[in-house]
Amino acid sequence: MTEEKLIELGYLPKELPPGFVSESLAENLEVVKSEWLSFETSETERNEGESRSHWNQRKADFYSKYGSSQCADFSISKGKLARRVLRLPNPKHYLTVSELISNNWESYQSLFESSPFSMSFPVEVAENPKRAVKTFSSGVPILRNEILKRSVRKLIQVKIDISKFYPTIYTHTIPWSILGKESAKRLFKLSKAELAALIDAGDSGAINYINADKLDTAIRACQDRQSIGVPIGPDTSHIIAELIACRIDNIIQERFNDLDIEAVRFYDDYYIFVNTFDEADKVIKGLQLILNEYQLEINDKKVEISEYPFPFENDWVTQLNQFEFKGTNKQNSLKHYFSLLWDIGAKHKSRTDWVFKYALRTFEYRTVEIDRNSWELFENLLFKTSLIQPAILDITTRILLSYREYLNEESLIKIGILVRDIIKIHASINHSFEVSWALWLAKSFNIQISEETANSVIETKDDFSILILLCMSRQMDLVQGNPNFENIETILQDDVLFSKNWLLAYESVKKGWLNPAENDLLENNGFFKILSDLDISFFNCELQLTTIPRREATDNNETVEHYVTPEQSTTQQTDLEEIEFINVSGIL
C-alpha cells in the first residue's frame, strides 16, 4: 500500500460526481512534501537576533494556523428522512493520515487477518483498481455463503448493529485497537524519555504505540481536533474503523468462548449464532459491555433475535429478480416492472433509495436494452422515479448518457424540469448529493438553469454543488442572469482554506472563477501556494461518467453482450457495493 494509492484512489468519496479528482496531488506527492518541509523549516527556525519569547510565539502562531482543518461535507440519502454526511478532509492533514497508514500497512494487515468474524476488512486492490481498498468479501454470494456456513450448527441468529459507528468512534481508541487496551494504557503512562528509550532499543510495542498515537493525532487534525468520529468517505476511514472492529472481534471470541458462538461481521453489523434464547441474551448484554469499553454502543432499535427457519431473501429482491422482460412487448414489460418497483417502494418507504438503485441497475448496465420505440415511455418512467427518489440521479445520468442518441428536444425539456424541481426541493435543506447530481445532469446535456435556481444553489454554501454551478456559468455559459456569486466571494478570506469551504475556496480562486475578498488568498497560505504552483487541482469540469456500450446483433441475429459489469466500469459509483450487500441478501 502506497501513499499515492491512498490519495489517488482512496481520498475522494465515491458518491461524488465524476468531476472531482485527486490524481494530480498523488502524482506530485513527493514534491509537495519536500516543499512543505522546506517552508515549515524556514518559517519556524529561529532568526538571528530574535528573542526566544518572540520565536516561541511565532512558532505557536504557525502551528496554530497550519495545525488542523475542517472537512468539506457532502450529504447523501440514508433512507427516506435520515442522511449520512460524507466528509472530504483537507489535503494538508490527509497527507499525514495516508503516510502513517501506508507505512504501517503490513502490521495492520496482521490485525485484520486475525479477526475471526470480519468479512469487511480492507484488502488492497491490485489489478485495475477503482479504489485503494475493497472489502475482504468480494461479492454478495461469498458473504451470504459464509453466513450460512457459520450458522449451520446453530438454531438462533442474533443481529446486532453498532450505533452510528463511524461518527462515534473515539479516536483515542486507535492505539488500544492496534496494541490492545492494556498494553496501550501501560505505554501511555510512560514518560517521553522512557518511551524514547524503548524505541531506541527497538521495542516493537513502543514503536507501534507512537505510530498509533500519531495516527490518532492526524485524524483529529483532519476534523478541527475533534476526537469523536472519523470522516466517512475516504478509504482511510474504512481502514481505521476496521482496526477497531477487528480488535473487538477478538475480544468477543475470547469473552464468549464458553458459549461456542459462531459469528460474521460486515462493517458495523454482527450476525451471531447461538442455540438458545438464554445464550442470545448473554451475547447481547456481553457485547454491549465490550462496545462500551471502546466508547461505542449497540443500536437498540436494530437488535433482532430470529429462530430458524426464517427467510434469508428479502421478498422484494426475489420479486425483482424473477421479473421477466418480454421481448415481444417491451412497453408492457416496462410498465409492469416500474409498477412493481413503485409498489415495493411504497411498502419500504424508508429504503426507497436502496430499492430503486438495485432495480435500475438492470438498465444502467444494459442487461435489459431499451429500443427506440419504447424510449419515450421508459424516459417518463425514469424521470418520475428520479423525482420520487433523487438518490438515483447518478444512475439516471448514466442511463441517459448511454441512450443519448434517443434524446430529442422534448427529452431535454423534461430533464430541465426535473433538474429545476429537484434543486427547488433539496437545495433549501442542503441535500448535497441531490443538488450536485441534478446540476451535473443539466451540465451533461447543456441545459441552462435560471438565475433563481442558481441563487438557491449558492445559498447552500455546498462546495461540490457550487463548483459545478461555477463550471456551468463561467466555462459553459449555462446559467442565466447574474447569480449572487459575490455572496461567496465575501467568505474567501482569512483562514477559509482550512475551513469546511476549503475546496470551493481553492478551486474557485485558482481557476479564476471568483474574486476573493482577500487579495493573494492562495499566496498567503504556504501549503495551498505549493499546490497552486504545481497546478494541482481537485475539480475537472470536462470529465464525465463512463457509459456502457450497447449490445450488438451478429449476422446470425444473435445478441452479443458488449456491456461491462459494475466491477469493470470506471464510472463513479454510488454505494453500489453496499447496496448489493445490504439488499440482495435478506439475512443481512
Side-chain angles (χ1 to χ4, degrees):
M1 177 62 70
T2 64
E3 294 175 66
E4 289 82 359
K5 178 178 282 189
L6 286 171
I7 292 166
E8 179 179 354
L9 302 173
Y11 179 29
L12 302 173
K14 61 181 178 292
E15 293 81 1
L16 298 177
F20 297 92
V21 292
S22 54
E23 286 87 346
S24 60
L25 177 60
E27 291 168 357
N28 291 278
L29 177 62
E30 293 306 318
V31 179
V32 170
K33 292 169 64 176
S34 175
E35 293 197 9
W36 169 254
L37 181 60
S38 297
F39 175 77
E40 180 181 19
T41 301
S42 67
E43 291 292 309
T44 58
E45 64 184 1
R46 189 173 181 180
N47 297 325
E48 184 177 354
E50 185 178 21
S51 68
R52 180 171 294 276
S53 61
H54 186 272
W55 176 44
N56 287 335
Q57 184 59 53
R58 189 164 55 81
K59 285 194 299 180
D61 292 342
F62 177 87
Y63 289 116
S64 175
K65 177 178 180 178
Y66 293 101
S68 67
S69 57
Q70 297 176 325
C71 298
D73 292 343
F74 187 76
S75 167
I76 66 172
S77 172
K78 186 183 178 184
K80 183 178 181 180
L81 298 176
R83 306 292 295 181
R84 175 183 286 119
V85 178
L86 306 181
R87 315 196 76 190
L88 180 61
N90 193 292
K92 166 66 179 71
H93 303 103
Y94 180 79
L95 293 186
T96 304
V97 174
S98 61
E99 179 180 17
L100 288 166
I101 288 178
S102 63
N103 288 345
N104 294 279
W105 181 248
E106 289 187 10
S107 64
Y108 294 169
Q109 282 184 302
S110 299
L111 179 55
F112 296 147
E113 293 169 1
S114 73
S115 167
F117 307 139
S118 179
M119 295 294 288
S120 56
F121 69 79
V123 177
E124 183 179 3
V125 184
E127 297 182 4
N128 302 316
K130 303 298 181 292
R131 300 293 299 184
V133 297
K134 62 180 180 180
T135 57
F136 171 70
S137 181
S138 58
V140 176
I142 295 174
L143 178 63
R144 184 167 52 202
N145 290 346
E146 188 66 22
I147 291 175
L148 292 172
K149 176 183 175 182
R150 300 280 181 96
S151 68
V152 72
R153 298 188 299 110
K154 304 297 181 177
L155 296 172
I156 294 173
Q157 172 184 286
V158 182
K159 184 178 183 299
I160 297 175
D161 171 74
I162 302 176
S163 179
K164 300 178 181 178
F165 184 32
Y166 280 46
T168 61
I169 286 175
Y170 184 45
T171 63
H172 295 326
T173 64
I174 292 173
W176 304 356
S177 304
I178 294 173
L179 287 92
K181 189 172 182 179
E182 295 307 316
S183 296
K185 284 191 169 184
R186 176 179 57 81
L187 291 165
F188 173 75
K189 293 177 181 179
L190 298 179
S191 66
K192 290 183 179 180
E194 290 172 321
L195 268 177
L198 288 174
I199 291 172
D200 290 341
D203 185 277
S204 60
I207 294 170
N208 288 336
Y209 173 78
I210 289 296
N211 288 330
D213 187 59
K214 288 179 179 178
L215 182 57
D216 169 19
T217 302
I219 288 293
R220 286 186 284 118
C222 286
Q223 46 194 27
D224 209 16
R225 296 190 171 93
Q226 294 294 315
S227 60
I228 302 298
V230 294
I232 305 174
D235 287 0
T236 49
S237 297
H238 174 203
I239 293 166
I240 292 164
E242 281 290 327
L243 288 172
I244 296 169
C246 286
R247 175 64 66 181
I248 291 173
D249 292 346
N250 283 288
I251 297 172
I252 291 171
Q253 185 181 51
E254 180 181 345
R255 299 260 182 103
F256 295 144
N257 184 56
D258 60 322
L259 296 182
D260 187 31
I261 66 167
E262 294 284 355
V264 170
R265 180 180 57 77
F266 189 73
Y267 287 106
D268 56 357
D269 289 326
Y270 278 97
Y271 303 87
I272 303 175
F273 306 102
V274 295
N275 273 324
T276 69
F277 286 103
D278 183 55
E279 290 177 346
D281 186 60
K282 289 180 180 178
V283 164
I284 294 170
K285 292 176 180 177
L287 182 53
Q288 181 65 80
L289 290 173
I290 294 170
L291 292 176
N292 284 346
E293 293 175 16
Y294 281 77
Q295 312 292 314
L296 299 167
E297 293 184 351
I298 285 176
N299 187 339
D300 293 338
K301 296 180 180 179
K302 291 189 177 181
V303 174
E304 298 176 7
I305 302 176
S306 306
E307 185 176 14
Y308 286 95
F310 55 84
F312 56 89
E313 287 282 5
N314 288 322
D315 290 343
W316 64 264
V317 173
T318 302
Q319 287 178 285
L320 291 172
N321 285 339
Q322 288 179 343
F323 189 91
E324 293 186 15
F325 285 86
K326 306 295 184 181
T328 55
N329 197 331
K330 182 64 69 64
Q331 292 192 31
N332 275 345
S333 292
L334 288 171
K335 285 188 286 187
H336 294 158
Y337 187 74
F338 275 88
S339 180
L340 172 63
L341 173 57
W342 291 1
D343 180 56
I344 293 171
K347 294 174 181 176
H348 299 83
K349 290 184 178 180
S350 65
R351 295 190 172 188
T352 54
D353 52 343
W354 296 347
V355 173
F356 286 8
K357 286 176 184 179
Y358 180 83
L360 290 179
R361 286 177 57 222
T362 191
F363 307 114
E364 182 183 11
Y365 295 106
R366 303 187 78 151
T367 307
V368 173
E369 287 280 351
I370 308 300
D371 57 69
R372 189 178 290 274
N373 292 333
S374 303
W375 176 255
E376 183 179 3
L377 170 65
F378 174 78
E379 181 181 79
N380 289 332
L381 292 167
L382 179 64
F383 289 158
K384 182 67 174 181
T385 306
S386 301
L387 182 62
I388 294 169
Q389 181 47 269
I392 65 167
L393 276 176
D394 54 334
I395 297 174
T396 299
T397 303
R398 180 163 21 182
I399 292 173
L400 293 173
L401 287 169
S402 298
Y403 290 93
R404 184 189 287 270
E405 70 272 19
Y406 288 178
L407 302 184
N408 55 30
E409 185 175 349
E410 184 179 352
S411 303
L412 299 180
I413 291 173
K414 292 176 186 176
I415 293 175
I417 293 171
L418 177 67
V419 167
R420 180 200 65 196
D421 290 347
I422 287 176
I423 292 176
K424 183 177 181 180
I425 295 169
H426 293 274
S428 61
I429 45 182
N430 290 338
H431 285 179
S432 310
F433 180 94
E434 291 84 345
V435 175
S436 63
W437 274 100
L439 289 169
W440 194 265
L441 176 58
K443 169 195 167 300
S444 299
F445 295 97
N446 296 314
I447 294 171
Q448 284 196 331
I449 64 170
S450 68
E451 179 180 331
E452 179 183 3
T453 298
N455 283 334
S456 67
V457 174
I458 292 170
E459 289 174 5
T460 67
K461 298 292 191 297
D462 176 66
D463 286 26
F464 306 94
S465 300
I466 296 174
L467 279 174
I468 297 171
L469 180 68
L470 283 166
C471 159
M472 295 174 67
S473 175
R474 304 300 200 223
Q475 193 164 316
M476 303 179 70
D477 196 25
L478 292 177
V479 180
Q480 300 171 352
N482 186 28
N484 300 324
F485 286 118
E486 63 271 13
N487 290 350
I488 306 172
E489 293 175 333
T490 59
I491 70 171
L492 302 181
Q493 57 183 316
D494 300 327
D495 60 350
V496 67
L497 287 165
F498 290 129
S499 76
K500 65 180 181 179
N501 296 119
W502 69 265
L503 177 64
L504 174 60
Y506 176 69
E507 288 295 326
S508 64
V509 173
K510 180 179 180 299
K511 288 178 167 57
W513 288 345
L514 294 178
N515 296 313
E518 177 183 331
N519 293 328
D520 300 323
L521 180 69
L522 302 186
E523 292 290 320
N524 293 336
N525 185 292
F527 181 77
F528 281 96
K529 181 182 185 304
I530 293 170
L531 300 191
S532 181
D533 289 346
L534 292 170
D535 199 26
I536 291 172
S537 179
F538 300 98
F539 181 67
N540 184 342
C541 194
E542 298 178 359
L543 296 181
Q544 187 51 275
L545 295 171
T546 301
T547 57
I548 311 302
R550 69 186 307 173
R551 294 182 294 175
E552 299 174 359
T554 66
D555 292 338
N556 297 324
N557 293 322
E558 296 177 351
T559 299
V560 178
E561 297 183 350
H562 287 296
Y563 62 91
V564 299
T565 66
E567 290 74 20
Q568 294 170 320
S569 172
T570 59
T571 303
Q572 300 281 339
Q573 298 178 21
T574 302
D575 267 343
L576 179 60
E577 203 171 23
E578 179 180 342
I579 296 162
E580 291 180 329
F581 281 117
I582 291 176
N583 294 294
V584 172
S585 174
I587 51 180
L588 298 184

